[in-house]
Amino acid sequence: MTVVQRPWWKDGVVYQIYPASFKDSNGDGIGDLNGIISELDYIRSIGVDVIWICPMYDSPQVDMGYDIRDYEDVYAPYGTVQDMERLINETHDRGMRIILDLVVNHTSDQHKWFQESRSSKDNPKRDWYIWRPARTVNGERKPPNNWVSNFTGSVWQWDELTQEYYLHLFCPEQPDLNWENPETRQAIYKSAMEFWLERGVDGFRVDTVNMYSKGEMLDAPVTDPGSEWQPAGLQYCNGPRMAEFLAEMNAVLEKYDAMTVGECPNTPDMKRVLQYVSAKERQLNMVFQFDVVDVGQGPYKFQTTPKNYTLPHFKRAIARTQDLIRPPSDGWTTVFLENHDQSRSITRFTSDAPEHRVAGGKMLALMMAALSGTLFIYQGQELGMTNFPESWDMSEYKDVDSSNYYKMVAQRTNNDPTALAAAHKSLQHLARDHSRVPMSWSTGPHNGFSPPDAKAEPWMRPLEDANVCNAKQQKTNEKSVLAFWKHMLQVRKEYSDLLVHGQYDDLDVEHPDLFVFSKTWKGKKAVTICNFTDKAQALEFPRQVRDEKRELLVSSVDQPGDGELAAFEGRIYLLA
Ligand code: GLC
Ligand code: CA
């Protein structure tokens, strides 16, 4: 098979939509498919090429739709399969493509497959999930191993009816499918993939893609002595049969020319990542590595203090993902700072103080537009939306990950107020909830997320700063973050050789305040320089490019100074 050098998904810019929080068309307080359809022109106007819809499948919503009850149906408050067909067509009519979330490491415990599997030990679907007998330790019943789940507690859940444990790497309501069983795999391809490919979707963001092959499931080393349950991500990710499973899955996807981007946590070994994304391996088109995601997080992600990292940490994380395409690699990479599992990038990596937020948002837009790989933008990022404030108490945090973490701290410290305050502070900085609040469309009731006469309040509290950050105002304001994103996406398209495909080199990794990198493509070169501080900095170039002739292509401020970069200013120069 010939490898296409520039398939559509390399230059495409992807816009991620979280259905619950994008736009509520019927006033029940929950976003829906009709709401998405009504804003497709807005999305197109940003300059994006692909939309990615987070899970909209039928689900009891224990983990916001990542617990799927029926792959072939839609969560009723979002709409119907017919609405999805309309969304697919309307997206295509506007010259855009659409990808869905493929969540096939686990299902909901209410999926009919699991209902059958748990009904008896000799049910034909028993082996579709991962069942194990208990261990007995000092006369006590114990789970088969000591792994901690991604949302705290053991990964094993005891099932009274058949007196065995089942595995769930996430919530107990998300039992893991058994990929070792070929019949299960075929059922997954048919129900979760082909059902939607036949309806015209253009690919998938593949959830927790590296967890299908779990290896031997041995006890993990004790790294958290305070707990019975131990982190085991390095064991259950990237198991021995991953390549085989992904090749098999890809054979189905290839028939439809579908794109894939896999979520790839716990994979520090770059050789391993390269295997997943190498064109000749034909496993995945690209992955989301966790290098940038992990910047500033603690041993358990929230177990830290805000901004607990330095700029060189951030730069090294970016370099690792950029290096995936360094020759002779035949792989591809991604550029992203936000998604539904991350807090807002302005808050996390720049400053959300009123006087800096716009500058921070624009500088990050410039930086991202200058990095190689497929670019992903998360809803609201194009407006410069930020985290919700410290004054919001824990009742505003709806996510199972944040609330379980807070409960764990409460339990472990016997409700120690200092520990709880620290947990709250950390969640205010890093929790997934911050990206899940309703989009700020306008200054109207519910920030324009729900219609003015809505019967119900939005499912999460809308932000209080819509007066300074909303889509309606930004559409007509040339100085807005939105206008700057649009401009940067044009610049990126115009200079796609350099900006999308070029080779990345950091020019001064250790510089604590400035991020300076070059991009090279067949004799052409661009240099990006970003001031990551809230103060002006002297405009000084690293020695590699100091004496080169350069021409300013774009700055993130209106009047770039001669010898000085403004606070949170970014620039791209073309070298002559
Ligand atoms: C992925 C999703 C996340 C979800 C988890 C379990 O990490 O992005 O939102 O909670 O998988 O499906
Ligand atoms: Ca609705």
Side-chain angles (χ1 to χ4, degrees):
M1 201 178 106
T2 50
V3 176
V4 184
Q5 287 305 328
R6 298 256 170 123
W8 60 268
W9 40 263
K10 285 196 174 175
D11 286 86
V13 175
V14 186
Y15 185 84
Q16 182 189 354
I17 297 174
Y18 202 63
S21 305
F22 189 64
K23 183 126 197 189
D24 168 23
S25 70
N26 61 351
D28 64 356
I30 303 171
D32 44 58
L33 300 179
N34 281 329
I36 300 174
I37 294 172
S38 72
E39 294 295 348
L40 284 173
D41 287 329
Y42 164 72
I43 297 171
R44 181 72 199 121
S45 77
I46 304 168
V48 304
D49 309 284
V50 185
I51 59 172
W52 150 22
I53 312 286
C54 276
M56 75 300 150
Y57 311 96
D58 176 36
S59 158
Q61 304 288 332
V62 173
D63 183 21
M64 287 306 293
Y66 284 89
D67 48 323
I68 297 172
R69 179 163 44 205
D70 185 352
Y71 291 107
E72 300 172 26
D73 203 354
V74 170
Y75 179 50
Y78 293 164
T80 61
V81 172
Q82 286 70 39
D83 293 331
M84 270 307 288
E85 290 174 6
R86 215 153 45 82
L87 174 60
I88 295 167
N89 291 336
E90 297 256 350
T91 306
H92 288 159
D93 286 349
R94 287 167 178 80
M96 294 188 290
R97 289 184 161 90
I98 175 168
I99 65 172
L100 305 184
D101 229 290
L102 180 62
V103 190
V104 291
N105 174 69
H106 43 265
T107 66
S108 161
D109 61 346
Q110 293 184 28
H111 194 292
K112 62 177 191 281
W113 297 342
F114 187 71
Q115 295 291 319
E116 286 183 46
S117 182
R118 93 185 322 175
S119 66
S120 78
K121 278 189 185 165
D122 49 20
N123 183 280
K125 292 203 172 57
R126 180 64 169 184
D127 189 45
W128 284 35
Y129 292 83
I130 301 170
W131 293 95
R132 292 287 183 276
R135 288 201 280 200
T136 309
V137 180
N138 301 329
E140 257 188 87
R141 186 184 77 211
K142 290 284 178 195
N145 69 22
N146 69 354
W147 295 357
V148 68
S149 105
N150 280 283
F151 298 145
T152 74
S154 167
V155 296
W156 296 98
Q157 176 73 23
W158 179 248
D159 211 38
E160 280 299 333
L161 184 66
T162 54
Q163 299 283 301
E164 280 190 329
Y165 284 97
Y166 66 83
L167 180 81
H168 60 88
L169 295 180
F170 294 87
C171 290
E173 295 85 352
Q174 292 168 295
D176 280 53
L177 283 157
N178 181 17
W179 274 72
E180 303 288 328
N181 182 330
E183 208 193 343
T184 315
R185 299 202 298 276
Q186 292 308 322
I188 291 171
Y189 305 149
K190 193 159 171 285
S191 184
M193 287 163 38
E194 292 191 287
F195 180 86
W196 291 105
L197 290 165
E198 287 295 331
R199 281 167 177 72
V201 307
D202 301 286
F204 296 103
R205 174 266 187 182
V206 196
D207 188 62
T208 54
V209 73
N210 58 354
M211 301 185 189
Y212 305 160
S213 167
K214 298 173 185 10
E216 289 188 74
M217 306 208 287
L218 304 173
D219 273 341
V222 177
T223 52
D224 183 7
S227 167
E228 199 174 350
W229 317 120
Q230 302 300 319
L234 294 173
Q235 279 167 260
Y236 59 70
C237 288
N238 311 311
R241 296 188 68 188
M242 276 314 307
E244 183 194 335
F245 294 160
L246 290 179
E248 186 183 90
M249 179 165 119
N250 186 59
V252 179
L253 293 159
E254 256 181 19
K255 286 192 268 176
Y256 298 86
D257 188 27
M259 80 159 249
T260 50
V261 49
E263 187 197 25
C264 201
N266 298 310
T267 314
D269 177 4
M270 293 310 270
K271 281 207 243 26
R272 198 70 195 78
V273 181
L274 261 168
Q275 257 173 15
Y276 286 134
V277 299
S278 152
K280 67 172 175 306
E281 296 275 343
R282 289 159 73 184
Q283 297 185 20
L284 294 163
N285 294 145
M286 58 192 123
V287 297
F288 296 127
Q289 280 161 266
F290 271 47
D291 300 77
V292 176
V293 167
D294 289 340
V295 167
Q297 293 194 340
Y300 186 94
K301 55 192 162 178
F302 307 127
Q303 214 178 318
T304 183
T305 49
K307 300 235 162 96
N308 193 9
Y309 67 92
T310 64
L311 188 60
H313 285 131
F314 178 79
K315 293 192 252 188
R316 278 191 206 101
I318 299 269
R320 285 163 60 79
T321 66
Q322 291 292 295
D323 279 347
L324 273 180
I325 61 166
R326 185 178 294 280
S329 158
D330 67 343
W332 191 239
T333 191
T334 55
V335 186
F336 73 100
L337 290 181
E338 293 188 14
N339 59 43
H340 65 293
D341 294 332
Q342 307 305 316
S343 65
R344 292 294 189 176
S345 54
I346 292 181
T347 305
R348 221 172 133 187
F349 301 118
T350 63
S351 162
D352 58 14
E355 66 278 26
H356 292 307
R357 59 182 293 172
V358 170
K362 290 183 181 178
M363 182 191 74
L364 292 176
L366 179 140
M367 180 200 83
M368 289 176 76
L371 290 171
S372 287
T374 300
L375 174 59
F376 290 78
I377 305 173
Y378 179 77
Q379 67 182 45
Q381 185 175 7
E382 80 281 16
L383 304 175
M385 286 174 69
T386 60
N387 282 12
F388 57 72
E390 263 188 271
S391 57
W392 290 19
D393 67 22
M394 281 309 298
S395 68
E396 308 294 354
Y397 291 76
K398 307 292 182 203
D399 173 31
V400 53
D401 197 12
S402 338
S403 32
N404 280 7
Y405 176 71
Y406 195 78
K407 277 184 228 153
M408 181 187 85
V409 173
Q411 194 195 3
R412 277 198 188 186
T413 65
N414 218 348
N415 290 314
D416 173 47
T418 318
L420 288 175
H424 184 199
K425 208 176 173 79
S426 167
L427 290 169
Q428 195 279 322
H429 202 67
L430 291 170
R432 312 200 290 183
D433 304 81
H434 297 288
S435 58
R436 299 180 177 192
V437 299
M439 267 284 275
S440 298
W441 289 103
S442 69
T443 51
H446 328 288
N447 294 350
F449 164 71
S450 295
D453 58 351
K455 294 170 289 299
E457 289 299 312
W459 75 280
M460 272 189 86
R461 181 169 167 183
L463 293 181
E464 286 150 3
D465 61 5
N467 57 325
V468 296
C469 175
N470 73 70
K472 190 166 178 224
Q473 279 171 1
Q474 294 198 20
K475 281 181 204 169
T476 53
N477 175 358
E478 281 168 30
K479 300 196 158 135
S480 64
V481 177
L482 175 63
F484 191 72
W485 262 110
K486 290 184 187 176
H487 180 58
M488 284 316 303
L489 294 185
Q490 276 165 10
V491 171
R492 181 173 171 85
K493 289 212 158 89
E494 197 174 332
Y495 294 89
S496 67
D497 280 350
L498 273 170
L499 302 187
V500 181
H501 300 268
Q503 179 182 303
Y504 166 95
D505 286 287
D506 194 310
L507 300 181
D508 189 357
V509 175
E510 298 307 330
H511 200 299
D513 302 323
L514 300 183
F515 185 12
V516 198
F517 59 87
S518 65
K519 296 292 292 293
T520 331
W521 177 267
K522 294 189 179 152
K524 290 189 263 184
K525 200 178 196 114
V527 172
T528 300
I529 182 160
C530 293
N531 173 9
F532 268 79
T533 73
D534 58 7
K535 293 176 190 60
Q537 300 283 343
L539 179 64
E540 273 169 14
F541 288 86
R543 60 174 169 75
Q544 301 95 314
V545 293
R546 194 166 294 154
D547 301 325
E548 308 241 9
K549 260 188 79 188
R550 57 185 159 255
E551 178 200 331
L552 182 62
L553 176 65
V554 55
S555 159
S556 63
V557 303
D558 295 333
Q559 275 159 351
D562 256 353
E564 198 174 80
L565 284 168
F568 298 114
E569 178 183 353
R571 296 184 190 181
I572 304 177
Y573 289 87
L574 295 175
L575 298 200

